[in-house]
Amino acid sequence: MRKSLLDLQAMKMRGEKIAMLTCYDSSFARILEQGGVDALLIGDSLGMVIQGHDSPLPVTVADIAYHTRCVVRGASTPFILADMPFGSSQITPEETFRNAAELMRAGAQMVKIEGGASMVPTIEFLVTRGIPVCAHVGLTPQSVHQFGGFKVQGREAEGAQRILSDALALEMAGASLILIEAVPREVAEHLCTHLHVPTIGIGASPECAGQVLVVYDIIGMGAEVAPRFVRPFIREAGSIEGAVHCYVTAVKSGNFPGAEHCYAL
Ligand code: KIV
């Protein structure tokens, strides 16, 4: 049976780490399911790792819906989250609902939306109409041009405070997972202490309720210069299946991420 949001919440309650990976097709979905991955994210990172762009900005709702249908056909037990790509959630709550509904019809159980407090009305609109939302804070790759590159966020006190107040506002608005990307470990730990919903980290902290990585990064097929938070598990495991197994084991046992995968203030 497919895991539900309630299952992820129960995992957090009993202190069991959530192992999430991105996934874009049905063959990988089958391998990730067999390796014990709890949740699959159809991320707009597909713009880079599948389509060859230098950012996620060109990805469309139709692209995410297509890859979501592929993933859902390949695995019947992991929880499925689909990314709301650039331009699909920034105009009106009504338009966001239409786009999110397309991803839910493709098989997503939750949509992920980047952004801070300005997304509160949109998230309230979706959640009160039956669409669960994961909010994505910290380094939000769709804002790469505003940030001037894929840079760690929240190093200054003002930025750290804004990420915290954004995350609290998004939780209040009804977000039921918060994904924290590329912030200093101290900032991530502050978020984990103050939020009640499960937090999912990537370049954040081992304190998060779960972790996510881009699947191609764990099998050594990611960017030539990998971000600090990447551990190419295939080097220690020798095969794709082994890398997935090692990733899940390392997340569940608290061995990943280590201090070397986290950012300092
Ligand atoms: O698009 C994506 O794959 C993501 C993860 C890197 C968190 O948002």
Side-chain angles (χ1 to χ4, degrees), residues 55 63 96 99 110 113 124 131 153 189 194 199 208 211:
S55 83
D63 291 335
T96 308
N99 289 326
M110 167 178 265
I113 297 186
E124 277 171 353
I131 300 189
Q153 300 298 304
E189 289 180 358
H194 286 85
T199 51
C208 292
Q211 302 294 329

Side-chain angles (χ1 to χ4, degrees), residues 20-24 41-49 56 64 83 112 114 136 139-142 179-181 200-202 212-215 217 229:
M20 183 186 294
L21 282 172
T22 67
C23 190
Y24 318 101
L41 167 65
I42 298 84
D44 61 2
S45 51
L46 72 85
M48 291 173 282
V49 298
I64 300 278
D83 237 344
K112 176 165 82 58
E114 292 187 9
H136 182 158
L139 169 55
T140 46
Q142 292 169 19
L179 190 147
I180 308 167
E181 179 166 355
I200 307 292
I202 173 166
V212 64
L213 283 179
V214 170
V215 67
D217 283 336
F229 52 74

Side-chain angles (χ1 to χ4, degrees), residues 41-151:
L41 167 65
I42 298 84
D44 61 2
S45 51
L46 72 85
M48 291 173 282
V49 298
I50 303 283
Q51 298 174 336
H53 298 293
D54 61 3
S55 83
L57 300 191
V59 176
T60 65
V61 174
D63 291 335
I64 300 278
Y66 168 77
H67 287 279
T68 300
R69 284 192 294 274
C70 295
V71 167
V72 167
R73 283 194 288 265
S76 60
T77 58
F79 185 73
I80 306 285
L81 296 88
D83 237 344
M84 293 290 285
F86 178 64
S88 67
S89 56
Q90 288 87 353
I91 300 176
T92 61
E94 288 80 358
E95 187 177 317
T96 308
F97 185 88
R98 262 194 299 278
N99 289 326
E102 187 173 337
L103 301 184
M104 301 297 279
R105 279 193 294 271
Q109 293 163 280
M110 167 178 265
V111 296
K112 176 165 82 58
I113 297 186
E114 292 187 9
S118 66
M119 299 312 293
V120 161
T122 299
I123 290 180
E124 277 171 353
F125 193 90
L126 263 54
V127 168
T128 52
R129 285 159 182 79
I131 300 189
V133 175
C134 169
H136 182 158
V137 300
L139 169 55
T140 46
Q142 292 169 19
S143 301
V144 58
H145 297 304
Q146 205 159 35
F147 295 149
F150 295 101
K151 292 181 189 267

Side-chain angles (χ1 to χ4, degrees), residues 13 18 113 130 149:
M13 294 302 286
I18 300 164
I113 297 186

